[in-house]
Each structure stands twice: as C-alpha cells, then as structure tokens.
Amino acid sequence: MASTITKIPTKYLFMHLISSSPKPPVSRFFSTDTAENRNQKLERIADELLDLTKLERYDYSILFRLKLGLNRYGPSVSGVTSPSASSPGASASETKAAEKTAFDIKLEKFDAAAKIKIIKEVRSFTDLGLKEAKDLVEKVPVVVKKGVTKEDAEAIIKKLQELGATAVLE
C-alpha cells in the first residue's frame, strides 16, 4: 500500500481547515469571537513579516530568538552587548589588542654595513625583486610585510634583529 503525499501550501491548507469546519468547538477558555480575532491577528502578522526586506527579516529573527531565550551563540551581530560580556577592568584598547590576529612588520632603522643582508632577508619573506626590495629598505621607517600571523612576524623580526636592523610589530 503506497500512499501518495501532495504538497499543499500551508496558507491554503489553513484556510481550507477554517472554512471546511462548521464551527470551531467552543471551549471554556475562549469563545469563537477570540478565535476569529486570533486568526485575523496571525494573518496580519504573517502579512507584515512577508512585507519585510531581507535585512529586516534577519534582524527580526535575531530579536525573536533573543526574546525566546534561544541565543546560544552569544550576543547578536548588531553590536548590542551585555555588560557581563567583558570583564569590568578591561578597557577597549586591551580587547582590541587581544582580538588582533594579523600584524604588520615595520622596519625602523638598520645598520648601514648590513644593508645588503637586510635587502636579501626582505626579499626572502616578500615576493619583491631586488630593485623593489632595495627601494623599500631605503625608505626606512617603512612597513615591509602586512597581515602576518604573530608567530611568523616574531620569527621575521628576530632574523632582522640578528642582521642589525630594528623592526617592530604593529
């Protein structure tokens, strides 16, 4: 016995159920007047939700989850944060420094005798040619590498300092 299932849009199914039943059963908790008002209210809410833009629907879904207590992923993206989200003694600059994942390496100065070695080192961790690396090193102070992880940046700075250059992490 195979059964066939047809997909009927829920709006039509709901309207069919309302119109096909002779009268909703009267309960001791609500009368038929409130049931009809409730149906009209739900239809009005559904129509208003369908009229929202994508961004408004997204904001509404976040707000609705928060109201229901379903915010298991922390505060919403809209920037609203709870006071307990950060520690009471933490300042904004400390939280920014903690969140930073990409760093820049800035060459501040170097020993003139080690210029050629520094140019070679700059070429090794950048994709620059000899002339571009030379021009870059001669523009001291200058950022020689951007968007590096902290571990890689510290290794590069250590190499540059061994050659006689002063480099800092930004």
Side-chain angles (χ1 to χ4, degrees), residues 30-94:
F30 62 92
S31 66
T32 57
D33 294 339
T34 58
E36 289 173 7
N37 288 340
R38 187 174 321 160
N39 290 340
Q40 290 173 355
K41 182 179 178 182
L42 290 175
E43 283 185 37
R44 181 184 53 80
I45 292 171
D47 290 338
E48 287 178 7
L49 287 175
L50 290 174
D51 291 338
L52 296 176
T53 64
K54 281 186 178 183
L55 186 59
E56 290 170 335
R57 280 188 297 230
Y58 177 74
D59 290 341
Y60 173 76
S61 68
I62 291 172
L63 177 66
F64 192 67
R65 285 187 214 127
L66 287 172
K67 294 278 186 178
L68 290 176
L70 300 174
N71 55 344
R72 53 188 160 155
Y73 299 113
S76 66
V77 181
S78 65
V80 178
T81 59
S82 64
S84 62
S86 63
S87 62
S91 67
S93 62
E94 290 175 4

Side-chain angles (χ1 to χ4, degrees), residues 115-133:
K115 182 177 178 180
I116 295 172
K117 293 178 185 176
I118 293 171
I119 291 172
K120 287 181 181 179
E121 187 62 35
V122 168
R123 284 189 67 205
S124 71
F125 63 82
T126 61
D127 293 332
L128 298 175
L130 182 62
K131 183 176 181 346
E132 292 86 8

Side-chain angles (χ1 to χ4, degrees), residues 104-110 118 122 133-146 160 165-168 170:
D104 299 338
I105 301 170
K106 184 177 184 180
L107 182 65
E108 291 187 336
K109 60 183 178 178
F110 60 90
I118 293 171
V122 168
K134 180 182 178 262
D135 292 341
L136 185 69
V137 169
E138 289 176 347
K139 292 180 185 176
V140 172
V142 65
V143 175
V144 291
K145 184 86 172 175
K146 292 183 179 182
L160 289 171
T166 303
V168 293
E170 288 187 342

Side-chain angles (χ1 to χ4, degrees), residues 90-103 150 169-170:
S91 67
S93 62
E94 290 175 4
T95 55
K96 271 189 179 178
E99 294 174 1
K100 192 170 183 179
T101 58
F103 297 90
K150 188 170 185 174
L169 191 66
E170 288 187 342

